[in-house]
Amino acid sequence: MATLIECDSLSYRYEQSSVWAVKDVSFTVDEGDYICVVGENGSGKSTLIRMVIGLIKPMGGGIAFKGIGHNEIGYLPQQAPVQSDFPASVMEVVLTGRLNKKGFLPFLGKSDAMAAEANLERLGALGLRRRAYRELSGGQRQRVLLARALCASEKLLVLDEPVTGLDPLAQSEMYRIIRELNEGGLTVLMVSHDVAGAVRAAGRILHMDTEALFFGNTDRYLLSEPGRGFLSGVAPRDIPPGAPHGADADITKDAHPKREGTSDV
């Protein structure tokens, strides 16, 4: 499977801080991947994503884009109060996802409107297109922002905490939509503090704590020391069948196995 993005020893430190937000993190994003980045608050997850999509420049290491360009990444940021009160229609919000394809001529036409409507329909949200964005529920807003991200890319979606602030039903629906998009061929790189949702959904896990504590397949993560520790506070019903947890976890297996063709960090 082709590699889209290769991150090598990425590091970043914010201004006037002596502490690294991200330090020496290496991982790859391959075509068809569903990668979940997990970790405690302040572990560097969102900072890492901001480097990947080009919002901030790494202070150490590098990013190689091999099968994708900067303008082929669809980004769904964390929800913020200013987003929820954005004075625009749903259609106007979704159309902004087409701007990164326009270069120096940011003029939108009929084909852009058709793409926006197609992505709204794909997410079951076409009926919202004339609604004011700020009138929508949290789950509806996330569908609209996901449609905007799809307008920006048909290759890779980068999602930063897409279910935060949603009620359980809306969370479940958002996970279903993301899974179906991935099964349809889209590569997904998602930040989440919801470890139970991550291990149910993702094929690979990157566990952050400034450095990468683990990167590899989800089934291996469930057997690793970081995985067992993170899952120890998760209710048994939320852990996939057969996954070790609590005092009965099998600690005799390799906590950091290597994936063929890549390395666990």
Side-chain angles (χ1 to χ4, degrees):
M1 201 166 286
T3 295
L4 298 179
I5 300 175
E6 185 174 332
C7 299
D8 181 28
S9 301
L10 294 183
S11 298
Y12 189 84
R13 184 170 58 198
Y14 287 98
E15 256 184 76
Q16 300 179 336
S17 174
S18 61
V19 179
W20 290 101
V22 173
K23 185 178 180 183
D24 295 330
V25 174
S26 300
F27 69 103
T28 59
V29 180
D30 296 338
E31 191 174 12
D33 260 342
Y34 189 156
I35 298 174
C36 234
V37 184
V38 302
E40 302 288 349
N41 289 337
S43 61
K45 303 186 301 293
S46 292
T47 300
L48 178 70
I49 292 300
R50 293 178 71 201
M51 283 191 280
V52 170
I53 64 174
L55 291 180
I56 56 177
K57 185 177 179 180
M59 291 181 171
I63 304 173
F65 293 87
K66 297 188 171 183
I68 194 168
H70 276 290
N71 66 343
E72 295 179 289
I73 298 175
Y75 177 49
L76 175 61
Q78 292 187 40
Q79 284 207 62
V82 67
Q83 288 179 315
S84 62
D85 200 35
F86 194 61
S89 71
V90 164
M91 194 64 175
E92 288 170 331
V93 170
V94 176
L95 278 169
T96 61
R98 301 286 293 178
L99 292 176
N100 68 337
K101 298 178 180 292
K102 298 298 180 178
F104 295 106
L105 297 172
F107 301 108
L108 300 173
K110 184 177 180 180
S111 63
D112 299 302
M114 290 174 64
E117 290 192 348
N119 282 312
L120 282 168
E121 185 171 21
R122 187 177 186 181
L123 301 181
L126 184 59
L128 303 174
R129 65 188 182 280
R130 293 188 178 88
R131 295 269 303 275
Y133 177 75
R134 58 184 163 190
E135 294 176 356
L136 304 181
S137 68
Q140 288 173 329
R141 286 189 201 122
Q142 286 300 78
R143 286 194 188 214
V144 170
L145 294 177
L146 189 54
R148 180 180 69 173
L150 288 169
C151 277
S153 176
E154 288 294 323
K155 284 189 175 182
L156 172 64
L157 289 179
V158 177
L159 314 174
D160 194 353
E161 303 280 11
V163 301
T164 296
L166 302 184
D167 62 56
L169 184 61
Q171 286 186 16
S172 177
E173 183 66 6
M174 182 58 63
Y175 276 127
R176 181 192 65 77
I177 290 170
I178 296 168
R179 183 184 68 249
E180 289 181 355
L181 290 172
N182 177 246
E183 290 172 350
L186 272 167
T187 302
V188 175
L189 176 62
M190 179 174 76
V191 169
S192 180
H193 69 276
D194 174 18
V195 66
V199 297
R200 284 197 305 268
R204 293 205 279 170
I205 301 290
L206 173 60
H207 188 136
M208 291 284 298
D209 188 6
T210 302
E211 301 179 13
L213 300 184
F214 179 91
F215 175 58
N217 294 339
T218 301
D219 55 350
R220 301 284 192 170
Y221 176 69
L222 295 168
L223 298 171
S224 72
E225 183 177 345
R228 294 197 314 272
F230 219 32
L231 287 166
S232 63
V234 178
R237 67 177 177 276
D238 291 330
I239 299 174
H245 61 278
D248 296 328
D250 179 1
I251 61 173
T252 64
K253 301 191 179 180
D254 184 5
H256 299 280
K258 295 196 181 295
R259 179 176 178 267
E260 187 174 341
T262 63
S263 298
D264 290 334
V265 180

